[in-house]
């Protein structure tokens, strides 16, 4: 049972354009959502997060949008840079739990110079 | 702040052998997590410690797996009688602030069972 889904295994975007990565979830108990970036042979690096009480959170070039009714979130990167090429994981956590993270399967983002 | 460290980074072992991995969390973090990642998948939760108490274990953690965090600082994950299906990246993460769910990951230990 995949509770967090990233349906696009890969995405290619021209440098300078906007990258949009999508994530869907099924568990209504999730109330905190995170995006991680992963380079080969390294652990995931935290990028940005959003609580279910918000619908948008921005940090520099990264913005996360949350649509609770659709159980959907997205990560926008603008402008995209070559160093953004990596695998991006969406993760979710439930309040009053142990805060364990449930991850999606990842989207490989390639920025084309 | 040195971040989360894991040792070893790579381990190759023969089926049936025991292996032990170590994780050193960020020093002020009281929560420590173990995850496992296989090819093409996201990390999957294995177990969680708050200080020295192991509070939850996933069904993925069979009886061959054991984890400890004896003094609430570093943690070890042991796999007994390894099987080829245990080949994966084992990731450790830590966190602290109750109001924040961000977990910070180490570089992982890549286990290959031959």
């Amino acid at each position: 049972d995949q509770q967090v889904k990233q349906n696009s295994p890969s995405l290619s975007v021209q440098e300078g354009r906007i990258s949009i990565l999508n994530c869907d979830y099924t568990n209504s108990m999730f109330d905190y959502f995170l995006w991680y970036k992963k380079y080969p042979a390294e652990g995931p690096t935290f990028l940005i997060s959003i609580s279910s009480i918000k619908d948008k959170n921005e940090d520099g070039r990264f913005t996360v949008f949350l649509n609770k009714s659709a159980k959907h979130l997205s990560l926008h990167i603008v402008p995209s840079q070559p160093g953004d090429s990596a695998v991006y994981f969406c993760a979710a956590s439930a309040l009053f739990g142990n805060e364990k993270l449930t991850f999606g399967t990842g989207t490989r983002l390639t920025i084309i110079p | 702040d040195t971040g989360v460290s894991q040792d070893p980074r790579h381990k190759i072992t023969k089926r049936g052998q025991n292996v032990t991995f170590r994780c050193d969390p960020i020093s002020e973090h009281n929560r420590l997590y173990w995850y496992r990642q296989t090819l093409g998948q996201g990390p999957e939760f294995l177990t969680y410690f708050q200080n020295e108490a192991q509070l939850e274990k996933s069904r993925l953690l069979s009886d061959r797996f054991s984890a400890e965090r004896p003094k609430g600082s570093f943690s070890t994950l042991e796999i007994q009688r390894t099987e080829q299906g245990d080949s994966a990246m084992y990731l450790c993460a830590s966190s602290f602030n109750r109001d924040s769910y961000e977990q910070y990951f180490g570089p992982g230990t890549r286990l290959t069972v031959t």
Side-chain angles (χ1 to χ4, degrees):
Chain A
D1 177 26
Q2 193 73 27
Q3 297 184 69
V4 177
K5 301 177 185 179
Q6 294 176 257
N7 292 320
S8 298
S10 63
L11 175 68
S12 294
V13 174
Q14 206 76 29
E15 181 180 358
R17 305 295 290 268
I18 184 170
S19 296
I20 300 176
L21 295 93
N22 293 302
C23 178
D24 298 292
Y25 63 97
T26 57
N27 190 337
S28 300
M29 299 301 292
F30 289 147
D31 63 344
Y32 202 83
F33 304 90
L34 308 90
W35 285 94
Y36 284 83
K37 174 181 179 179
K38 189 177 184 302
Y39 293 117
E42 295 184 11
T45 301
F46 169 72
L47 271 180
I48 192 169
S49 61
I50 187 166
S51 165
S52 60
I53 63 174
K54 297 184 179 180
D55 55 19
K56 177 182 174 182
N57 189 26
E58 207 169 340
D59 184 1
R61 296 186 299 114
F62 302 93
T63 303
V64 56
F65 295 92
L66 175 62
N67 182 334
K68 289 187 292 293
S69 61
K71 294 190 174 66
H72 176 83
L73 64 155
S74 61
L75 174 68
H76 292 210
I77 306 172
V78 55
S80 300
Q81 299 174 353
D84 296 331
S85 294
V87 178
Y88 289 77
F89 290 97
C90 169
S93 182
L95 187 65
F96 302 125
N98 59 17
E99 295 98 49
K100 69 181 180 184
L101 298 178
T102 301
F103 284 84
T105 52
T107 296
R108 179 176 301 279
L109 176 64
T110 302
I111 305 302
I112 304 164
Chain B
D1 180 3
T2 57
V4 179
S5 62
Q6 293 187 244
D7 184 70
R9 294 292 305 275
H10 304 274
K11 179 70 177 178
I12 300 174
T13 190
K14 293 184 178 179
R15 188 178 55 180
Q17 298 294 304
N18 299 344
V19 294
T20 300
F21 311 140
R22 177 180 170 123
C23 170
D24 287 89
I26 294 171
S27 58
E28 64 270 25
H29 286 187
N30 60 344
R31 298 192 188 91
L32 187 147
Y33 302 80
W34 286 98
Y35 292 84
R36 180 173 68 185
Q37 185 178 18
T38 53
L39 197 62
Q41 300 297 315
E44 294 175 290
F45 170 77
L46 291 178
T47 190
Y48 156 65
F49 290 85
Q50 180 154 321
N51 300 311
E52 66 275 8
Q54 187 174 19
L55 297 184
E56 184 172 340
K57 294 194 290 186
S58 162
R59 289 172 299 172
L60 292 174
L61 217 62
S62 76
D63 291 344
R64 297 184 297 105
F65 288 71
S66 62
E68 294 182 343
R69 194 182 183 198
K71 297 182 179 180
S73 56
F74 73 91
S75 175
T76 58
L77 178 68
E78 181 183 15
I79 310 174
Q80 296 182 326
R81 305 180 304 281
T82 52
E83 301 173 356
Q84 287 188 320
D86 297 331
S87 295
M89 174 75 84
Y90 290 84
L91 294 161
C92 176
S94 68
S95 69
F96 176 71
N97 188 341
R98 178 66 185 176
D99 296 326
S100 168
Y101 290 77
E102 285 88 23
Q103 296 178 19
Y104 295 89
F105 283 81
T109 295
R110 163 91 43 206
L111 173 66
T112 302
V113 181
T114 62

